[in-house]
Amino acid sequence: MGEGLIGLGAYYLVDSVATSAGVRLIFYDPSRGLFVEVEDREYKPYFYIPHPPTHEDEIIVRAIGGKASIAEKIDLFTGEVRRLTRVEVENPKNLKRLSSMFKISWEGDIPFSLGYIYDHNLVFGVPYHIEGGIIKPAYRLTDDLKGDFEERFGDIRASDPEKYRLIEKFFTLCSQPIPEIPLKDLGIREEVSSEDLYLTFTISRVTNLPISSAYTDRRVSIWIRSILNAYLRSRNILIPKPEELMRGGVEKRIQGGLTMPPESGIYFNTVVLDFESLYPSLIDAYNLSYETIDCNHSECSANTVPSVNHHVCKLRRGVYSILIGALKDLRIRWFKPLSKDKSIPDEERRLADATAKLLKLILVASYGVTVRTYGLAQPALAESITAYGRYALKEAWRMAVEAGLHPIYGDTDSLFLDDPPDSGVTKLIESVKRRLKLDLAVDKRYSICVLPRAMKSYLGIMKDGTADLKGLTAIKSNSPRFIQKVFGKCVNELKDVRNWGEFELAKDRILKIFNEAVAELRYGKVPIDDLAYTVRLHFNPFEKDETLHQPYQCAVQLLDLGIKVHKGDVISFVKVKPFNYKGRTFTVKPTSLIDGFHEVNVEDYIKNLTSALNQVFKPMGITFHEGEGKPLTLTDFL
């Protein structure tokens, strides 16, 4: 991680507050343990309207006591300078309301106190010198950190200078020391751990939000909006209205990632390759941004996005692409490797890991906000991101086949290879980097991997015996503990399996576990609580008049006992032998109302256990028969 340098008398900017007279900046002096306030009464809240203003606009400006002047801003979409009318008002509390009085206005929804920070190129959470009312940065990098930075990022300077500048800025900000600050004085009452304090300052520095907001508001869309707005203001680019950002698009369903159908079966020595930060990497590598999608340059129209009716600008570097690319490179090239560097202290590694996860959270959301977040959504951009994602997976699959490798499953950003040679994996990674401009890396190595026919579900046993499970019925949170325990025992028998001979022995042990579980059910030796299903209600139970599904059968019984049950509540029930309840046939009872095991519908539980196990073990050549509990091999089944 390293440490930045701060001089004596440095003050950390922690908050900004709009006042009736202007803006009050709040700093923290760690050397004295005091908060220091600096007020600027000259700065006034403002927004923009078209120039020249209409007669109606002029009347409204006079009516609200505004002060109009001519301003020049850069249009995000054309890159051209626009003349606008800047309207200053006195009271920042009325900024949004007053701007909405005009037919067309911009930036009235930017909080006044944040707008001040953006306009004065200040950043929350970092140290400053205050000399005669003038605020100057008090942070820089040590010579060692400068060297480390150039080693990791120097190659970007020539190829992408603006991204390089941004990475350097974020790197410098994140490298500054974290002061021990009494957060209770900022309205944060609970105890805050050192790691939470560190993350709060990191969020504040990256997103340019006050310390208190960084701690309390964990909406990632707010973070991304602030990152984008701060950058646009710093470049004198007019922040577009939400409808302008949509570029004429309408909210609609966006086609997501691609899933390649799995080759169902059991595999030994499976290597899983992952595109590192796929969507953020696509945004960066293919210059995907609000203004670069479907630009107006005729020479760019041939630079089409695969499988969708859009093209990408080749003449301008996209704002969103630069921002997301900088954060992505900072995570992948610095914080992620640092978190695994055993040559540095454990505490430093732990904080690097926390920062890597924080940046990943922002990066993962960088696509989602373009789909549905008001003020950040643009359907054309969202469509282009996922289209390039599907293209990348298909191309990587094709390249793997061409290289003589055997891909067996692909899902969005992951590619499963059956027993590939290390040299083949290395060459594929290099080919993807060269042809697709994307980073493909080994994510997992399974000693044994089971792929059911169903997509988005699999079982893998890592080299250390750890089970990696996804999308399987038996591990769903609402499945009874009984089914989860039996499944866990069966999976545990695979942890030391490395070949077909060892697998054949494991099959016998798995069949035995199933037989014993069925016997426990038939003889009533399973605790009632282990048979309970836990389900969240998605409807108000008292509003459902049609045939009641099992969770609502349970809810009705609880309501009749005077127990309040509402939408969103989690309820627990056991499957029982069918019984008549108020003229309807019910098949479950609340767990708390079960009189004894004699009520349990044993055959139903055997059926559910069999189904859950067959999802995973049938591709292995093991099929469980739900009738008498007699297990059959795949040969017998066929």
Side-chain angles (χ1 to χ4, degrees), residues 43-49 64 73 84-89 91-102 104-115 118 225 229 233 238-244 374:
Y43 186 79
K44 300 299 180 185
Y46 67 88
F47 54 87
Y48 297 103
I49 59 174
I64 64 176
K73 300 284 284 187
L84 300 168
T85 300
R86 172 170 163 152
V87 180
E88 288 187 355
V89 295
N91 193 339
K93 293 183 179 180
N94 295 330
L95 182 62
K96 187 173 183 179
R97 181 180 63 83
L98 294 177
S99 68
S100 67
M101 296 173 66
F102 296 82
I104 303 175
S105 67
W106 294 270
E107 301 194 15
D109 58 344
I110 306 296
F112 175 51
S113 57
L114 278 185
Y118 301 157
R225 192 191 308 274
N229 287 346
R233 278 280 182 96
L238 182 66
I239 298 173
K241 299 154 62 72
E243 53 268 30
E244 291 176 330
Y374 182 74

Side-chain angles (χ1 to χ4, degrees), residues 39-77:
E39 191 164 20
D40 186 341
R41 298 190 176 190
E42 300 299 320
Y43 186 79
K44 300 299 180 185
Y46 67 88
F47 54 87
Y48 297 103
I49 59 174
H51 182 82
T54 64
H55 178 64
E56 181 182 354
D57 286 343
E58 291 176 339
I59 293 175
I60 298 175
V61 170
R62 288 194 296 270
I64 64 176
K67 180 181 177 182
S69 60
I70 298 175
E72 291 187 342
K73 300 284 284 187
I74 299 171
D75 186 285
L76 173 65
F77 304 108

Side-chain angles (χ1 to χ4, degrees), residues 252-370:
K252 61 180 179 179
R253 181 184 177 276
I254 304 297
Q255 185 179 354
L258 175 68
T259 301
M260 310 290 278
E263 292 187 20
S264 178
I266 179 171
Y267 300 90
F268 297 99
N269 188 33
T270 301
V271 174
V272 182
L273 300 177
D274 258 20
F275 288 101
E276 294 209 63
S277 298
L278 177 59
Y279 286 169
S281 294
L282 294 168
I283 291 170
D284 179 22
Y286 293 98
N287 198 31
L288 307 181
S289 184
Y290 296 100
E291 75 279 22
T292 61
I293 301 297
D294 299 331
C295 66
N296 294 324
H297 308 129
S298 59
E299 54 264 64
C300 300
S301 60
N303 188 29
T304 56
V305 180
S307 75
V308 293
N309 188 28
H310 299 298
H311 67 268
V312 184
C313 186
K314 299 188 296 183
L315 304 181
R316 297 171 58 201
R317 189 72 164 102
V319 165
Y320 200 58
S321 182
I322 294 171
L323 288 170
I324 298 305
L327 293 175
K328 180 260 300 179
D329 283 358
L330 190 64
R331 174 182 178 266
I332 291 177
R333 295 196 183 195
W334 182 253
F335 286 108
K336 191 175 178 181
L338 203 65
S339 68
K340 300 176 181 178
D341 185 353
K342 295 186 178 180
S343 69
I344 64 175
D346 290 346
E347 174 71 5
E348 202 167 339
R349 269 206 321 274
R350 187 169 59 82
L351 294 179
D353 183 59
T355 305
K357 290 176 179 176
L358 171 65
L359 292 176
K360 183 178 181 179
L361 184 63
I362 296 173
L363 293 169
V364 167
S366 65
Y367 159 69
V369 297
T370 67

Side-chain angles (χ1 to χ4, degrees), residues 65-313:
K67 180 181 177 182
S69 60
I70 298 175
E72 291 187 342
K73 300 284 284 187
I74 299 171
D75 186 285
L76 173 65
F77 304 108
T78 66
E80 298 174 353
V81 175
R82 295 179 59 176
R83 300 193 82 189
L84 300 168
T85 300
R86 172 170 163 152
V87 180
E88 288 187 355
V89 295
E90 287 296 325
N91 193 339
K93 293 183 179 180
N94 295 330
L95 182 62
K96 187 173 183 179
R97 181 180 63 83
L98 294 177
S99 68
S100 67
M101 296 173 66
F102 296 82
K103 288 184 178 179
I104 303 175
S105 67
W106 294 270
E107 301 194 15
D109 58 344
I110 306 296
F112 175 51
S113 57
L114 278 185
Y116 183 92
I117 298 297
Y118 301 157
D119 285 345
H120 290 79
N121 201 27
L122 299 172
V123 180
F124 289 109
V126 295
Y128 290 91
H129 289 308
I130 305 175
E131 299 172 359
I134 298 176
I135 302 168
K136 298 180 179 179
Y139 53 86
R140 61 185 178 88
L141 293 176
T142 64
D143 290 339
D144 286 345
L145 272 180
K146 284 183 180 178
D148 291 340
F149 178 80
E150 283 302 317
E151 183 180 338
R152 298 289 178 90
F153 302 100
D155 61 303
I156 302 176
R157 185 198 294 267
S159 62
D160 204 339
E162 179 60 11
K163 187 171 79 166
Y164 173 87
R165 187 195 69 79
L166 263 180
I167 296 171
E168 185 178 34
K169 174 186 175 181
F170 286 133
F171 183 88
T172 303
L173 296 176
C174 291
S175 298
Q176 301 310 302
I178 306 296
E180 290 292 335
I181 181 172
L183 293 181
K184 67 179 187 303
D185 293 330
L186 296 177
I188 300 173
R189 298 300 175 190
E190 60 263 34
E191 290 293 324
V192 178
S193 67
S194 58
E195 183 173 325
D196 282 343
L197 181 65
Y198 170 83
L199 286 175
T200 297
F201 267 83
T202 302
I203 293 170
S204 184
R205 292 165 175 178
V206 171
T207 66
N208 213 358
L209 290 170
I211 295 296
S212 56
S213 298
Y215 182 80
T216 57
D217 195 337
R218 296 304 170 94
R219 291 175 293 174
V220 186
S221 61
I222 299 296
W223 301 352
I224 294 176
R225 192 191 308 274
S226 184
I227 293 171
L228 181 60
N229 287 346
Y231 182 83
L232 293 176
R233 278 280 182 96
S234 73
R235 290 290 177 268
N236 195 39
I237 299 173
L238 182 66
I239 298 173
K241 299 154 62 72
E243 53 268 30
E244 291 176 330
L245 213 59
M246 290 284 284
R247 302 287 296 277
V250 294
E251 187 174 324
K252 61 180 179 179
R253 181 184 177 276
I254 304 297
Q255 185 179 354
L258 175 68
T259 301
M260 310 290 278
E263 292 187 20
S264 178
I266 179 171
Y267 300 90
F268 297 99
N269 188 33
T270 301
V271 174
V272 182
L273 300 177
D274 258 20
F275 288 101
E276 294 209 63
S277 298
L278 177 59
Y279 286 169
S281 294
L282 294 168
I283 291 170
D284 179 22
Y286 293 98
N287 198 31
L288 307 181
S289 184
Y290 296 100
E291 75 279 22
T292 61
I293 301 297
D294 299 331
C295 66
N296 294 324
H297 308 129
S298 59
E299 54 264 64
C300 300
S301 60
N303 188 29
T304 56
V305 180
S307 75
V308 293
N309 188 28
H310 299 298
H311 67 268
V312 184
C313 186

Side-chain angles (χ1 to χ4, degrees), residues 351-605:
L351 294 179
D353 183 59
T355 305
K357 290 176 179 176
L358 171 65
L359 292 176
K360 183 178 181 179
L361 184 63
I362 296 173
L363 293 169
V364 167
S366 65
Y367 159 69
V369 297
T370 67
V371 178
R372 64 183 66 87
T373 302
Y374 182 74
L376 291 172
Q378 188 192 93
L381 176 56
E383 280 184 324
S384 299
I385 294 170
T386 56
Y388 268 113
R390 296 189 295 274
Y391 166 77
L393 184 61
K394 284 191 288 189
E395 284 298 294
W397 184 288
R398 183 182 61 79
M399 291 159 65
V401 173
E402 287 180 352
L405 303 175
H406 181 200
I408 53 177
Y409 180 51
D411 184 13
T412 308
D413 60 354
S414 298
L415 185 65
F416 289 57
L417 301 176
D418 174 31
D419 195 18
D422 290 342
S423 59
V425 171
T426 300
K427 288 181 181 178
L428 179 61
I429 290 173
E430 292 171 351
S431 297
V432 167
K433 180 67 174 178
R434 185 174 60 256
R435 294 193 210 174
L436 302 181
K437 299 183 287 186
L438 299 172
D439 293 312
L440 194 63
V442 175
D443 182 45
K444 300 167 186 172
R445 293 181 183 271
Y446 297 135
S447 57
I448 183 171
C449 177
V450 182
L451 295 177
R453 288 189 178 88
M455 295 192 290
K456 295 189 179 295
S457 61
Y458 57 83
L459 180 153
I461 304 296
M462 310 285 280
K463 297 292 185 179
D464 62 359
T466 304
D468 184 29
L469 314 170
K470 180 177 180 181
L472 303 175
T473 302
I475 62 170
K476 290 183 178 179
S477 59
N478 63 351
S479 292
R481 281 199 300 267
F482 169 71
I483 292 179
Q484 294 182 14
K485 287 177 180 179
V486 175
F487 180 75
K489 289 179 181 178
C490 292
V491 170
N492 192 55
E493 294 299 331
L494 299 173
K495 68 178 184 179
D496 296 321
V497 171
R498 297 293 183 273
N499 53 55
W500 284 106
E502 293 173 349
F503 174 65
E504 287 299 323
L505 296 174
K507 282 170 63 174
D508 292 336
R509 298 193 296 270
I510 290 170
L511 293 170
K512 183 179 179 182
I513 290 170
F514 175 76
N515 279 329
E516 291 175 347
V518 170
E520 287 181 352
L521 275 172
R522 294 199 185 282
Y523 287 102
K525 293 183 178 180
V526 181
I528 293 296
D529 286 344
D530 281 1
L531 298 176
Y533 286 83
T534 53
V535 179
R536 185 178 300 277
L537 296 176
H538 297 290
F539 303 94
N540 288 321
F542 44 82
E543 294 178 356
K544 290 185 70 68
D545 296 324
E546 66 271 20
T547 301
L548 294 176
H549 296 296
Q550 290 180 333
Y552 298 95
Q553 294 177 22
C554 174
V556 166
Q557 294 173 68
L558 292 173
L559 287 169
D560 288 346
L561 291 173
I563 300 173
K564 294 182 179 180
V565 182
H566 302 283
K567 176 183 176 181
D569 287 351
V570 175
I571 58 173
S572 170
F573 61 85
V574 173
K575 295 190 176 187
V576 297
K577 297 168 185 174
F579 67 100
N580 185 280
Y581 189 87
K582 293 185 174 181
R584 289 182 172 181
T585 299
F586 277 20
T587 54
V588 302
K589 280 189 176 182
T591 306
S592 58
L593 299 185
I594 300 296
D595 290 333
F597 202 90
H598 64 277
E599 291 191 273
V600 174
N601 189 337
V602 171
E603 298 306 318
D604 205 350
Y605 278 95

